[in-house]
Amino acid sequence: MLQVVSGMYSGGERRLMIKVLPCLFLKVTEEAGNISEQNKKKDASQAPTPVITFPGSRVNSTGGLRRQKRDWVIPPINVAENSRGPFPQMLVSIRSDQDQDISIRYSITGVGADQPPNEVFSIDPMLGKMFVTKPLDREHRSSYHLRAHAVDMNGNQVENPIDLYIFVIDMNDNRPEFKNQVYNGSVDEGSKPGTYVMHLSAFDADDNTTANGMVRYRILSQTPHSPIPNMFTINSETGDIMTVAPGLDREKVSQYTIIVQATDMEGNLNFGLSNTATAIITVTDINDNPPMLTSRTFSGEVPENTVDVAVANLTVIDADQPHSPNWNAIYRIISGDPTGHFTIRTDPVSNDGMVTVVKPVDFEMNRAFMLTVVVSNQAHLASGIQSSLQSTAGVTISVKDVNEPPYFPTNPKQIRFEEGVPTGTSLTTFSASDPDRLQMQQIIRYSKLNDPANWLSINRTSGQIVTTGMLDRESVYVKNNIYEATFLATDNGSPEASGTGTLQIYLIDINDNPPALVPRESQICERMNKNVNGVNITAADADTDPNAGPFVFELPNFPSSIRRNWTIARISGDYARLALRYQVYLEPGMYEVPIIVSDSGNPPLSNRSVIKVKVCPCDDNGDCTTLGAVAAAGLGTGAIIFILICIIILLCMVLLFVVWIKRREKERQTKQLLIDPEDDVRDNILKYDEEGGGEEDQDYDLSQLQQPDSLEHIISKTPGVRRVDERPIIPESQYPIRPVVPHPGDIGDFIHEGLRAADNDPTAPPYDSLLVFDYEGSGSTAGSVSSLNSSSTGDQDYDYLNDWGPRFKKLADMYGGGDDD
């Protein structure tokens, strides 16, 4: 059972029942009066709180459940927006009819409760009182849908959830807003009343189904007030601006500024909120002003024979918008110029008309022109506007006489002559005329301006042209049989004027060029074979038909060997074949064959030409072989063989020279010195002065200076004859290794022992052999190492060398001779 008790009805009980669905109901019971009485005891001024009771089931008399019939729904809860509180503000009280039996906990769910925006609504879980916690904004959200729940202390559902609909009541809290602060529109001048101009619209965020959101428009002001203060009106509901009066004239007022006000509450100025916007209305131009010329007559002067010259300037006035199609002027000549000598061009800046000469005028033909000119606009005149009489004017153009140059009536002038006419031949008279017939008689003088080949001359007074050279059709100055020359005619006017004329001479060909043989060189095989053998020849003639081909080719009678060895066979009118006669053999070489060529002129011209024919041995394909080409160059077989032998000899000499160079290099590398380079005395002497910082810093191997352990390998060597200038090929003597730091007192014994070992070695020549000094060259500045004394004191006795045999005889003669040495 649902009970709603409201304090709004203090005079008694009101029962409101709205049937929507069969499952819910709404009833105001007498409990409202009881609640109201209780509330009056607390606060006499406070109205009773509405109570919403869960619909539920009743227990019947037998102990079972009996479901009651549910036919009513709970009405929505209306809450005004922008309430000033205080908050939280109680809306309704929700209760279950089972709260007398058990403890009930109440809750609400939905947008505004437990869903964003959260905590807009709250409920007392024990008492079931629902509150709104903050001011609501209908423009942000206009309604809320919540569900109320009732559970026991264990969380078990006691009642079915009920739906609560909360609607936010709109308040007039938003002004109308224009999309733009300034609106631009336009209207043609001369528009009739009721012509649409532009549209303005304002938006009100309040509910447009109520007066809060119903906007109305009105015009507050118009600037300027010409011709009347109220030229425009606005539809109060749609915002369309229209004209209400005639008299729009752009030339007087080109723009209007209108202030438009938008007010809600259906335009109620006492309760509604307002806003304003500016409408700028531009009066657009129409062609309602025809152009008018500033004068009825204009004049100008033009020299004859000039073009692209402005001779008169026409000025015009037009009140329409400058530089628009309604203002731009177009000028036309309607009479006085049948041959089209003049045109009128419009100045794009000033709109003036410039009368310009486009075709030269002749003073002798027309001394003056009387033109009729009419002016109009690019755009047509507006409806009802007539053309002005000032749109038409007359223009007088005077022609000024000037000295015109003479002219050649026929230019270019063409004549025909045969080439080769003799010098001094008169070709023609090329005369000019003076167009200035109204001036005093003038004298014309002629001169030559351009004569590429210098073949012509012209009489200064009469213009007669005479040849000064031979006309030649084959000259490089003649193109397509035509020779051109340019002449100048000058009068004696003030100032002088001159004109040019061109003379074209068509030269008729005569037979003045003999034919020339082509080609001038060729080759041919020395023997005829079954294939075609010969040289195709033709002729070139600078003349043209009928003075050129067909040609006649002949061999001369002298010398007789020409006809005996060669023959010419005609192929066509322009070609023939030169070949060796059958079974005629010629040595390979170059042969000059004279041939007489004649053309078909009348009379014909002949030319004796020589063709150089190279006769050479050929292969199976008829091509000259390499040897044959050399032979044909003019060398005989003997000369060719001699050249080949010389080439072979030269190659052999080069080869021998290279072999000799290689051999000398090899000998130089393999030749042995008298002694081993490691024991070369010269090298040892050069190193005497190179003293190091100490014995530990020296890299010299001093083991060769140490005394060997024994000389048995020397004493036991078998005697034999050996070269004394060659070191014996025996294993090197092994000497004991010198201590790292030798005792300074044994150096004398070391030298003596080494000297004794060298003296007692019969298998090797002494290292101070004379041959070593011969290797150094005669006159050496180095002292002889033989001057070294073998003992510390006294002279050395070399007589014992005589006892050593013939091998030491030379040494004994050198040192054993006593004073004779």
Side-chain angles (χ1 to χ4, degrees), residues 120-188:
V120 176
F121 302 96
S122 64
I123 189 170
D124 188 329
M126 302 304 295
L127 301 178
K129 296 180 180 181
M130 190 174 75
F131 303 90
V132 58
T133 62
K134 62 180 68 175
L136 301 182
D137 186 359
R138 192 202 66 85
E139 287 72 36
H140 181 261
R141 191 177 187 87
S142 61
S143 65
Y144 296 87
H145 177 203
L146 303 178
R147 304 197 76 186
H149 305 271
V151 297
D152 58 14
M153 292 302 175
N154 296 325
N156 298 320
Q157 179 177 311
V158 176
E159 302 282 357
N160 293 328
I162 61 174
D163 293 319
L164 301 177
Y165 293 93
I166 302 172
F167 292 104
V168 182
I169 300 174
D170 182 44
M171 305 294 289
N172 189 19
D173 58 342
N174 291 280
R175 293 178 179 274
E177 295 292 341
F178 286 95
K179 183 178 181 180
N180 302 314
Q181 285 300 312
V182 178
Y183 290 82
N184 292 285
S186 63
V187 62
D188 291 339

Side-chain angles (χ1 to χ4, degrees), residues 32-98:
N34 299 330
I35 297 174
S36 179
E37 291 297 331
Q38 296 174 2
N39 291 337
K40 287 180 180 180
K41 294 179 180 179
K42 298 178 181 179
D43 188 1
S45 64
Q46 184 177 357
T49 303
V51 179
I52 298 176
T53 304
F54 285 93
S57 300
R58 298 293 183 180
V59 180
N60 55 21
S61 59
T62 59
L65 292 176
R66 180 174 58 85
R67 181 173 296 277
Q68 295 180 350
K69 187 176 181 181
R70 303 291 186 252
D71 294 330
W72 311 100
V73 296
I74 301 173
I77 303 170
N78 295 325
V79 181
E81 66 171 334
N82 303 323
S83 175
R84 296 184 179 181
F87 295 100
Q89 182 179 0
M90 184 176 175
L91 299 179
V92 294
S93 179
I94 301 172
R95 61 177 295 273
S96 172
D97 56 2
Q98 300 186 38

Side-chain angles (χ1 to χ4, degrees), residues 627-693:
L627 184 60
V630 175
L635 298 178
T637 304
I640 295 174
I641 294 175
F642 178 76
I643 292 174
L644 292 177
I645 293 175
C646 292
I647 293 174
I648 293 173
I649 293 174
L650 181 61
L651 292 176
C652 291
M653 293 177 63
V654 172
L655 182 61
L656 290 175
F657 180 76
V658 172
V659 171
W660 180 74
I661 292 296
K662 294 291 184 181
R663 185 174 180 181
R664 285 201 58 183
E665 184 69 22
K666 185 176 180 180
E667 290 178 354
R668 183 178 302 167
Q669 295 177 356
T670 57
K671 184 176 180 181
Q672 296 184 355
L673 297 175
L674 294 177
I675 58 177
D676 188 48
E678 296 181 356
D679 300 327
D680 193 350
V681 176
R682 297 173 298 167
D683 189 28
N684 293 337
I685 293 175
L686 292 176
K687 292 182 179 180
Y688 285 161
D689 292 337
E690 297 179 4
E691 297 180 359

Side-chain angles (χ1 to χ4, degrees), residues 588-591 613-617 626-636 640:
M590 186 69 71
Y591 295 86
V613 181
K614 183 189 297 182
V615 179
C616 60
T626 304
L627 184 60
V630 175
L635 298 178
I640 295 174

Side-chain angles (χ1 to χ4, degrees), residues 172 211 214 216 263-274:
N172 189 19
M214 295 181 180
R216 297 296 181 262
T263 306
D264 56 16
M265 298 299 290
E266 297 182 290
N268 191 320
L269 299 178
N270 294 325
F271 303 102
L273 302 177
S274 301

